[in-house]
Amino acid sequence: MNFLPYGRQTIEDDDIRAVQAALRDDFLTTGPKVVEFERRLAQCTEFAHAVAVSNGTAALHCACAAANIGPEDEVIVPAITFVASANCARYLGAKVVFADVDPNTGLATPATIERCISDRTKAIICVDLAGMPAEIDALAALAESNTALLIEDAAHSLGAAFKQQALGQAGAHLATLSFHPVKHITTGEGGAVLTNDAALAEKLRRFREHGIVRDADNWQNESPGPWYYEQQELGFNYRLPDLACALGLSQLSKLERFVQRRNEIAELYAQLLVDLPHVKPLTRPGYLARSAHHLYVVQVDFDAAGRSRREVMQRLRDAGVGSQVHYIPVPSQPYYAGLGEDVARYPGACEYYSKALSIPMYPALTDSDVARVVKALEAAVCG
Ligand SMILES: *Cc1c(COP(=O)(O)O)cnc(C)c1O
């Protein structure tokens, strides 16, 4: 019996051929595949600009830098997310102000975020948990009326539709992607920042590459010759190699098929879970047109079932089914507790966390795999 992890990459023969071909090209790092991958990413998300970077965390760091976040600023971040969504503000010395979440969706809402706004708010980072976009249009309006930027951590939502619109039309000033193997498409490690604003795109490119300005029209000094380049601020090496972009391009051509299959799996889960006591799928927000279903999170009433989460996860593992918890509330992490956070201030996040369990979700799961997961879950929770 094969083990079913909670998530995994889908690599096919043509992906392997694409990487092999790229290995014979002239450029392994900065080459034509980077430009082409960025063009295709912008096209499929309907953003004007895409900047490929070395991973999703770097993408968040670049987005925060482009938003000019600094030590005097506050950045609002949902209490339920991966730690990177908050850490990016800390890299620039800003204070993270956590927003509580709706316990039924795990999403921070315009109401929970509005409560966190102060005159120091520089940016709102929203997270499209499990593949469900946050309420982007309302959050963008909230950001704008407080002269802040909306940064959408879209690591979970490539291929989602917000109110029938692609993510680029929904209103975020900057959006970030990750191409880690469990995400929708992979480049091994990789990420990207998306924006409709040309000036922000220029800042992102500069920050990605040491703070170096390539365009001679924007140099401060006169060029002494063809070897010249100019570093105008402090940046990093956050480039994504051409080799990785070759894989990304091949993967991106399959995005629609992958997301379609994820939606089919989600529908099957929803049908099979209807009669399962103490277990229900995460609630979909009313405005959601299409989830990208990065994760399949169920809410388990462990107390009512009389089974601990640890026991349920062990029983699932014994049945060959992987599971995980997305996520531990970030304010409860010792690093943030050390900055004065107390997770008890986030009752929605605590309630969400107490029930959350991610079960297998990736395009290669078959219908019979899905049935096997639900049987194992039933035995683990009720058996
Ligand atoms: C995966 C992920 C990231 C970070 O991406 P990496 O590519 O692993 O650095 C950031 N935010 C969220 C919500 C993620 O799921």
Side-chain angles (χ1 to χ4, degrees), residues 89-108:
R90 297 293 305 140
Y91 298 154
L92 296 157
K95 177 178 163 54
V96 175
V97 178
F98 288 104
D100 204 5
V101 303
D102 177 337
N104 299 311
T105 63
L107 295 168

Side-chain angles (χ1 to χ4, degrees), residues 55-57 60 81-82 84-85 127 153 155-156 178 180 183 190 327:
N55 57 64
T57 305
L60 284 161
T81 182
F82 183 52
S85 316
V127 177
D153 181 342
H156 296 189
S178 163
H180 179 280
K183 307 288 161 68
Y327 289 97

Side-chain angles (χ1 to χ4, degrees), residues 1 88 239 301:
M1 197 173 53
C88 55
R239 291 186 302 257
D301 192 337

Side-chain angles (χ1 to χ4, degrees), residues 360-379:
M361 170 56 91
Y362 50 91
L365 280 179
T366 64
D367 289 5
S368 65
D369 290 335
V370 172
R372 191 182 126 201
V373 171
V374 175
K375 272 212 164 60
L377 187 61
E378 181 167 22

Side-chain angles (χ1 to χ4, degrees), residues 9 15 20 38 43 53 78 92 128 179 181 197 212 260 270 293 304 315-316 354:
Q9 69 275 20
D15 296 314
Q20 278 175 335
E38 290 180 338
Q43 199 176 44
V53 295
L92 296 157
D128 300 338
F179 309 125
D197 182 316
I212 289 173
Q260 180 59 32
H293 285 296
R315 283 168 175 243
L316 285 172
S354 72

